[in-house]
Amino acid sequence: MTWHVAEDDVRAYARGELAPPMLWSADTHLAQCAECRALLASVTDPVALDAGWERLDAELDAPRRGLVESLLVRIGVADHTARLLAATPVLRRSWFGAVALLLVMTVLVTDASNVATPDVFLALAPLLPLAGVAMAYGPVLDPTYEMTVVAPMHGFKLLMIRTTAVLVAGLGLNGLATLALPGYGLAALAWLLPALALTATSLALTPRLGPVLAPGVVGGAWTALLLVAHGRATHGGTLAPFTATGQTVAAAVAVLAAGLLYLARDRFDTKTPGFGPTA
Amino acid sequence: MTTTVSAAGLSLRYGLTTALDDVSLRLTEGVTGLLGPNGAGKTTLLRVLATAVPADEGTFTVLGHDPRTPAGRQETRRVLGYLPQTPGFHPDFSAFDFVDYVAILKELTDRTARHNEVRRVLAEVDLSDVRGKRIKKLSGGMRQRVALAAALVGDPGFLVLDEPTVGLDPEQRMRFRELIARAGEGRTVLLSTHQTEDVAMLCHRVVVMAAGRVRFDGTPAELTARAAGRVWSSSERDPNAKAGWRTGLGVFRNVGDPPPGAELVEPTLEDGYLLTLDGMHAEATA
């Protein structure tokens, strides 16, 4: 060798601070010069080197991210949160497929019936996110539920992470369906506030009634309300929940239920429904 | 030995069913076996101690933490590893994915540290080679080991194992026992099982439960000693025996009150267990 990398440059190289073009020269030279490699090894901080190997190991062993998880990480969601979201039981192709199919059929029926207000669509749309959220946390669809409830992560935090994911997905599908009904204008969006009200109410009732009964009761109450409203509506008129007054009430219920849910947040860690007598 | 987990007066009812009835116990480092027939309350006790369900009455502490307060519950969960009776898995996860997921639930959010921990626990249960394989393609024994690895994340001081050897073939069972024995070094392990061999091979202490109550609490040798002088062999099943079965040698092994002149044989842990349960039946019918 006719030249060697200066010791200061080797130290900078070890710290990752050597800038091009000297960095390129050092790279090439170190590959061929045992003397400089020995110097590099002697000036490298062993702790930093170990940390580097650990990071490399972690990357090599890192689980291959699925489509949803990769997308979440790409838009800035923390790696561990993305993993929790991707493991949300209802965020599966089968769930999306079923919901999308149901919405397509509802939109087609609404379109074909040529009615003044899209009542069938507006009645159904709030139930879909409700069902999704109900199945996101609990023993029914989450195979890891029993391990999850004894983990130090707060149950409420996990519930909120999953609820956000399911709501974004569910409301997104509903939104796409709404776009498929342009003839109704803003009236086709009247499902949104009831959807939020039903979901928040169901979650607020979950610590008391459990993750199956709570959405069941709320869904049943919504259906009963619609039947009553249908009986009272004039022919071709808008059902009460979808009028301006009904929307205001839905917004108020959503806010109230969200407040109650927040107050009951600790109960998701103390009262864990789904366990009964064992064989 | 220092008490690490203590429970006093734990009771829990599901409607009309009494699952736990005034259960008190003290655990120390090492593996404690929890024996009992179906419906004895073993799983319910483990769920209560694992903070999965709250007891109606009674108190308990785990490594000094009292789970009755939110902060105490959080601390309890931080020192806890729990392997439920039927651990569920996300079907598309690999072994690494699943343990990584549980590690996140156990608050390991730093990616590098978490993955190192996942590798460590998978190595501890001898699954490093199949860490990338989907769980649905692993054998039953391997799946149990994945679940054990998940329970070991964070090096918990208290490990709760609910019938981990059920459904495993003899070879897998032996292998799992080795892992439990290893896991019991330096930590408190409560092992629920139907198998008296599990207790005989692994446990320094055994608790027998029936009908929601503790019926015996002592060493395996003490449980075995309960059957001293109460086990005999005969060529026919003795109708007065509490229990009797034909052994591999073709003779009958009888447990109960031996008739005069009976050919007494050395008792085993199973004999002591059977007599403890029988004593409970006698007590119930008295």
Side-chain angles (χ1 to χ4, degrees):
Chain A
M1 283 288 158
T2 55
W3 72 285
H4 294 288
V5 183
E7 188 172 332
D8 283 350
D9 287 340
V10 171
R11 289 182 189 281
Y13 184 90
R15 292 194 301 271
E17 292 170 0
L18 195 64
M22 191 56 214
L23 172 65
W24 304 329
S25 300
D27 265 338
T28 312
H29 179 80
L30 283 163
Q32 298 163 6
C33 178
E35 199 178 321
C36 284
R37 278 202 303 275
L39 177 61
L40 177 64
S42 70
V43 300
T44 302
D45 175 8
V47 176
L49 191 64
D50 285 348
W53 279 116
E54 279 187 6
R55 279 198 300 278
L56 184 62
D57 276 350
E59 286 306 320
L60 290 174
D61 264 346
R64 205 173 297 164
R65 295 186 180 117
L67 189 66
V68 175
E69 202 177 336
S70 301
L71 194 67
L72 290 167
V73 170
R74 195 161 289 186
I75 61 172
V77 176
D79 135 84
H80 59 278
T81 308
R83 177 129 287 239
L84 290 178
L85 286 171
T88 302
V90 297
L91 289 181
R92 303 221 181 286
R93 259 173 267 170
S94 53
W95 167 261
F96 273 113
V99 170
L101 186 67
L102 199 58
L103 283 170
V104 166
M105 286 168 65
T106 311
V107 166
L108 289 176
V109 167
T110 302
D111 221 22
S113 56
N114 202 20
V115 286
T117 51
D119 290 342
V120 176
F121 171 66
L122 294 180
L124 177 74
L127 292 172
L128 299 177
L130 171 72
V133 169
M135 287 190 263
Y137 185 81
V140 180
L141 275 191
D142 185 356
T144 62
Y145 179 68
E146 202 168 346
M147 291 175 118
T148 303
V149 295
V150 302
M153 173 178 272
H154 285 295
F156 185 72
K157 183 180 174 185
L158 184 61
L159 175 76
M160 286 299 102
I161 288 174
R162 290 183 172 179
T163 297
T164 306
V166 176
L167 273 183
V168 167
L171 298 183
L173 286 174
N174 280 357
L176 289 174
T178 306
L179 291 176
L181 296 167
Y184 295 101
L186 279 177
L189 255 183
W191 55 266
L192 181 59
L193 289 171
L196 294 175
L198 297 191
T199 304
T201 306
S202 167
L203 289 173
L205 290 174
T206 294
R208 189 165 292 275
L209 300 181
V212 177
L213 191 57
V217 166
V218 171
W222 171 247
T223 309
L225 176 71
L226 289 174
L227 289 174
V228 171
H230 183 70
R232 290 187 176 177
T234 54
H235 183 68
T238 305
L239 297 185
F242 309 125
T243 60
T245 310
Q247 294 287 294
T248 308
V249 170
V253 170
V255 171
L256 182 67
L260 291 174
L261 172 63
Y262 183 74
L263 291 176
R265 63 192 184 282
D266 282 342
R267 299 193 66 189
F268 284 90
D269 286 316
T270 50
K271 247 182 111 51
T272 44
F275 299 119
T278 51
Chain B
M1 284 182 100
T2 314
T3 300
T4 49
V5 178
S6 70
L10 294 176
S11 296
L12 178 61
R13 294 177 67 85
Y14 292 112
L16 295 174
T17 309
T18 301
L20 291 181
D21 185 5
D22 194 22
V23 170
S24 298
L25 49 86
R26 284 172 180 275
L27 304 181
T28 55
E29 241 177 46
V31 185
T32 298
L34 185 59
L35 278 173
N38 284 339
K42 303 189 299 294
T43 292
T44 303
L45 176 62
L46 296 192
R47 282 177 175 165
V48 168
L49 294 178
T51 72
V53 286
D56 295 334
E57 288 171 43
T59 59
F60 71 99
T61 59
V62 176
L63 300 168
H65 305 297
D66 182 344
R68 281 177 297 178
T69 63
R73 190 166 48 249
Q74 184 87 343
E75 288 306 318
T76 303
R77 289 174 175 175
R78 284 187 178 133
V79 297
L80 175 83
Y82 179 43
L83 172 56
Q85 195 170 4
T86 46
F89 303 99
H90 290 292
D92 295 328
F93 273 8
S94 67
F96 194 101
D97 286 337
F98 178 73
V99 180
D100 188 47
Y101 171 73
V102 174
I104 293 169
L105 293 175
K106 289 189 172 187
E107 301 176 315
L108 296 177
T109 51
D110 179 80
R111 184 178 165 88
T112 304
R114 191 175 76 238
H115 286 183
N116 285 337
E117 176 66 359
V118 173
R119 274 201 302 276
R120 182 188 72 79
V121 292
L122 285 172
E124 204 167 322
V125 299
D126 305 327
L127 283 181
S128 295
D129 292 346
V130 295
R131 62 182 184 268
K133 214 169 176 181
R134 284 191 178 191
I135 292 177
K136 63 184 172 191
K137 295 194 172 168
L138 298 178
S139 68
M142 283 181 169
R143 285 183 199 185
Q144 279 297 76
R145 281 193 270 154
V146 172
L148 179 62
L152 289 170
V153 167
D155 196 15
F158 179 37
L159 199 55
V160 177
L161 309 176
D162 195 354
E163 300 191 9
T165 56
V166 163
L168 303 185
D169 65 40
E171 191 190 335
Q172 289 174 333
R173 211 179 300 145
M174 280 309 296
R175 191 150 188 200
F176 212 87
R177 282 179 187 143
E178 284 170 23
L179 295 175
I180 295 171
R182 220 187 294 162
E185 290 167 10
R187 57 164 72 94
T188 304
V189 179
L190 183 56
L191 167 72
S192 164
T193 180
H194 279 295
Q195 311 266 344
T196 49
E197 305 111 83
D198 286 346
V199 174
M201 296 172 91
L202 291 168
C203 303
H204 73 291
R205 222 175 114 218
V206 57
V207 174
V208 178
M209 283 187 76
R213 300 184 69 179
V214 171
R215 302 292 170 173
F216 174 86
D217 186 350
T219 64
E222 286 166 348
L223 184 57
T224 305
R226 282 195 158 195
R230 301 188 67 192
V231 187
W232 69 101
S233 65
S234 58
S235 55
E236 296 295 327
R237 189 188 186 286
D238 191 324
N240 295 318
K242 307 282 187 195
W245 63 97
R246 194 192 289 274
T247 67
L249 298 172
V251 296
F252 278 85
R253 184 181 182 88
N254 304 287
V255 179
D257 297 318
E263 189 184 331
L264 295 177
V265 295
E266 276 296 305
T268 63
L269 190 70
E270 192 163 33
D271 302 323
Y273 171 58
L274 287 173
L275 283 168
T276 300
L277 292 184
D278 184 69
M280 188 267 293
H281 293 314
E283 188 184 300
T285 52

